[in-house]
Amino acid sequence: MKFKMNVPNALTMVRIFCTPIMVLLFLLPIPNGVGKFVALGIYILACFTDLLDGKIARKYNLITDFGKFMDQIADKFITTTAMILVLFEGIVWKWLAVLMLLIVVLRDILISGIRMVAANKNFVIAADIYGKIKSLFLDVASMVLMLYVGLSVVCTCEGIEYVKYAGLALMIVGVALSVMSCVNYSVKAVKGLTESQKVVEESPVEEDDE
């Protein structure tokens, strides 16, 4: 896989570099929740680059194998990290935090494996709508919960609890969509691979000339 630096690939790498910076700022005890709010800003910026790099790559024909591979890695880096940061801030039961995180992470691992098997069989599984909506819900949920964590440092009013509930609701919907997306991918993979196998078996075998 040859590396070629262009604007989309640079934006992808920005998301990877933003991840440790976001973690550091979120966890440091900076007064008045400043670190939490800056971490939120970095996360919003990273999510924006995720939208931007794909559009630029398609519009200017800058799609590369490196970009396709690293884009998925960068997404998982920043999204999973943000989920870990907010879910283990004590705003939800620990068992529920672990459960939601495991569902999302194991779903990503399973689908990556399915795609690898399908690729070896020359069968491409297109991204499904559930996966795209899932990513949107999880990203927005992490943003809302980051905002809540920051606000809870500087404000004790009861109103901010609604921000937490909104974030958790979005997170639960995102996790549910992860399950739906996983099932959908699995069904499409089994169907596609079965049909591909039938085509191979039904293809006539050429006899050697005597």
Side-chain angles (χ1 to χ4, degrees), residues 108-127:
D108 290 340
I109 294 174
L110 178 59
I111 288 180
S112 295
I114 290 173
R115 281 176 165 168
M116 287 178 62
V117 173
N120 288 334
K121 299 293 184 179
N122 296 318
F123 174 64
V124 178
I125 303 177

Side-chain angles (χ1 to χ4, degrees), residues 15-86:
R15 288 204 300 286
I16 293 178
F17 292 135
C18 279
T19 303
I21 298 173
M22 179 184 71
V23 172
L24 187 63
L25 289 169
F26 190 86
L27 295 179
L28 282 176
I30 301 175
N32 300 319
V34 172
K36 306 290 193 295
F37 292 120
V38 176
L40 170 59
I42 291 174
Y43 185 57
I44 293 173
L45 175 64
C47 291
F48 179 71
T49 65
D50 184 27
L51 296 174
L52 198 60
D53 62 2
K55 290 183 180 296
I56 294 175
R58 289 187 294 271
K59 183 175 181 179
Y60 296 101
N61 195 27
L62 296 173
I63 299 174
T64 63
D65 290 337
F66 175 85
K68 288 188 288 186
F69 174 76
M70 288 305 299
D71 183 65
Q72 296 181 47
I73 299 298
D75 291 347
K76 301 301 180 288
F77 258 59
I78 196 78
T79 301
T80 306
T81 300
M83 283 186 65
I84 293 172
L85 289 176
V86 296

Side-chain angles (χ1 to χ4, degrees), residues 125-145:
I125 303 177
D128 70 344
I129 188 64
Y130 299 118
K132 294 179 179 179
I133 300 176
K134 174 267 303 181
S135 297
L136 176 62
F137 269 88
L138 292 180
D139 285 340
V140 175
S142 293
M143 292 176 193
V144 173
L145 291 176

